[in-house]
Amino acid sequence: MATRKSARKPNVSAEELTTYYREMLLIRRFEEKAGQLYGMGLIGGFCHLYIGQEAVVVGLEAAAEEGDKRVTSYRDHGHMLACGMDPKGVMAELTGREGGYSKGKGGSMHMFSKEKNFYGGHGIVGAQVPIGAGLAFADKYKENGRVTFAYFGDGAANQGQVYETFNMAAIWQLPVVFVIENNQYAMGTAQARSTSTKDIYHRGEAFGIPGDMVDGMNVLAVKEAGEKAVAHCRAGKGPYILEIKTYRYRGHSMSDPAKYRTREEVQKMREERDPIEQVRAMLLTGKHASEEDLKAIDKEIKDIVSQAADFSRESPEPQVDALWTDIYAEAIPQEVN
């Protein structure tokens, strides 16, 4: 049944550390730029930033294999970048341009990439969880050994459809990792005020689903827990739950002033637990990189993000007749005996 993670320190190479640093920094700088563009009026509608939560998706992507799938909520830009989607296409979609992944018609909450096995971005709270189980059902049917990561938050963990999905996934022994990105505030209500249990992953016990609670500010801990969960699923043992305790530095969305917590609380988390700074410190203290090396990486990432922002401005807006395209999937040719 459900078990807690041990405090054993995982082994990691200098190359892996540098990769995690680069990937988390890309998400951080991309989201900072997205926030700027939103403030300039170039991104409309809702915009939910991932700043502070970077270790979650980077750690789990490090545990994934080619062909594995992922589906998540509206706080999705980090997931797109971590699975290899082009920052230019992501930023262009945020600004509603033709060069975006959904050709400017989906915006922040509705992006998709079949090539990268990224199945959204979903605006309805918890709606992606049964979709994730459906993806896993398809893989089990095909017997292809793939695993699906279905991400949702602590707020969505109180949705009824989540537990209906747990039940079906357990009955059918689906290869799906249910990832609870617990940033502790849902939209704006602390977990202690909205959730009857301190630890959400225990709820899988009612369905016979094992799980772990993980420090989501530590990319190495997330990767190790992800490898355990993925191995469980690939072995045909059914679903697994990971509750990853993380923390977002910004409000729920760009329109949220986040007055439900103090500035001191956020600053303390930044100073003591920041996931990027932890890896940066490991690189420096382990003499795997110098200050100059890390400055060069930061400059390279900033250039990538700046190019993405420029591309998003230069790409044209979609034509009116584009409303009638990409509505239906292409017909699959039927075999003739």
Side-chain angles (χ1 to χ4, degrees), residues 306-323:
S306 179
Q307 291 168 15
D310 290 342
F311 177 79
S312 73
R313 292 189 185 97
E314 295 163 2
S315 181
E317 294 186 356
Q319 298 296 311
V320 174
D321 59 5
L323 284 171

Side-chain angles (χ1 to χ4, degrees), residues 11-314:
N11 294 322
V12 62
S13 69
E15 183 179 1
E16 287 175 303
L17 274 180
T18 304
T19 297
Y20 304 152
Y21 180 77
R22 289 173 60 90
E23 291 177 349
M24 290 193 292
L25 193 61
L26 173 60
I27 295 172
R28 178 73 58 90
R29 297 290 180 250
F30 182 95
E31 294 290 66
E32 289 170 348
K33 178 61 72 173
Q36 292 175 8
L37 295 181
Y38 186 93
M40 294 165 63
L42 296 175
I43 296 176
F46 292 102
C47 186
H48 306 81
L49 302 183
Y50 203 63
I51 297 174
Q53 299 184 211
E54 297 91 350
V56 179
V57 71
V58 169
L60 289 182
E61 284 294 334
E65 293 183 2
E66 185 69 28
D68 290 342
K69 300 176 176 65
R70 62 280 296 159
V71 62
T72 188
S73 68
Y74 40 76
R75 196 179 306 280
D76 51 5
H77 315 152
H79 300 74
M80 299 169 194
L81 298 174
C83 74
M85 291 170 66
D86 189 340
K88 291 181 179 178
V90 177
M91 194 69 85
E93 188 60 40
L94 295 184
T95 55
R97 303 303 178 98
E98 235 176 44
Y101 267 97
S102 295
K103 302 179 182 178
K105 299 186 288 182
S108 175
M109 297 193 288
H110 303 100
M111 272 185 258
F112 175 92
S113 173
K114 183 178 180 181
E115 294 72 23
K116 298 298 181 181
N117 290 304
F118 180 81
Y119 289 87
H122 292 269
I124 299 175
V125 175
Q128 71 276 13
V129 181
I131 293 173
L135 293 168
F137 182 90
D139 286 331
K140 176 158 184 165
Y141 183 81
K142 295 175 182 177
E143 298 181 342
N144 59 15
R146 299 299 98 211
V147 170
T148 295
F149 295 87
Y151 294 85
F152 57 103
D154 48 300
N158 293 318
Q159 288 275 322
Q161 61 191 319
V162 170
Y163 300 97
E164 294 179 66
T165 304
F166 282 1
N167 185 56
M168 288 188 290
I171 290 172
W172 293 332
Q173 293 289 280
L174 301 182
V176 54
V177 181
F178 295 111
V179 184
I180 306 169
E181 294 196 75
N182 185 352
N183 62 27
Q184 304 175 49
Y185 282 99
M187 288 184 68
T189 303
Q191 182 190 338
R193 297 180 58 206
S194 64
T195 305
S196 63
T197 55
K198 179 181 178 182
D199 299 323
I200 305 172
Y201 75 99
H202 283 305
R203 295 182 179 182
E205 293 179 354
F207 305 93
I209 303 177
D212 286 327
M213 184 176 69
V214 190
D215 178 5
M217 307 303 278
N218 183 330
V219 68
L220 302 184
V222 175
K223 176 178 180 286
E224 184 182 21
E227 289 172 339
K228 179 181 176 182
V230 165
H232 174 93
C233 292
R234 288 201 212 283
K237 297 179 180 179
Y240 203 92
I241 296 174
L242 288 178
E243 180 184 357
I244 305 185
K245 299 240 174 157
T246 183
Y247 194 90
R248 58 172 164 79
Y249 296 161
R250 301 289 185 92
H252 172 69
S253 69
M254 286 297 295
S255 60
D256 173 19
K259 293 182 178 179
Y260 40 82
R261 59 186 181 183
T262 65
R263 291 184 179 179
E264 290 74 20
E265 177 186 313
V266 178
Q267 187 61 30
K268 180 178 174 64
M269 184 65 73
R270 277 184 175 272
E271 292 175 355
E272 299 179 4
R273 304 281 312 286
D274 186 81
I276 299 175
E277 288 302 314
Q278 288 186 55
V279 175
R280 185 178 189 278
M282 282 189 276
L283 287 168
L284 291 173
T285 57
K287 301 189 184 303
H288 304 306
S290 65
E291 288 281 3
E292 289 71 26
D293 293 332
L294 299 183
K295 286 180 181 178
I297 291 173
D298 195 12
K299 181 182 183 305
E300 179 186 352
I301 295 298
K302 286 180 177 177
D303 288 344
I304 291 171
V305 171
S306 179
Q307 291 168 15
D310 290 342
F311 177 79
S312 73
R313 292 189 185 97
E314 295 163 2

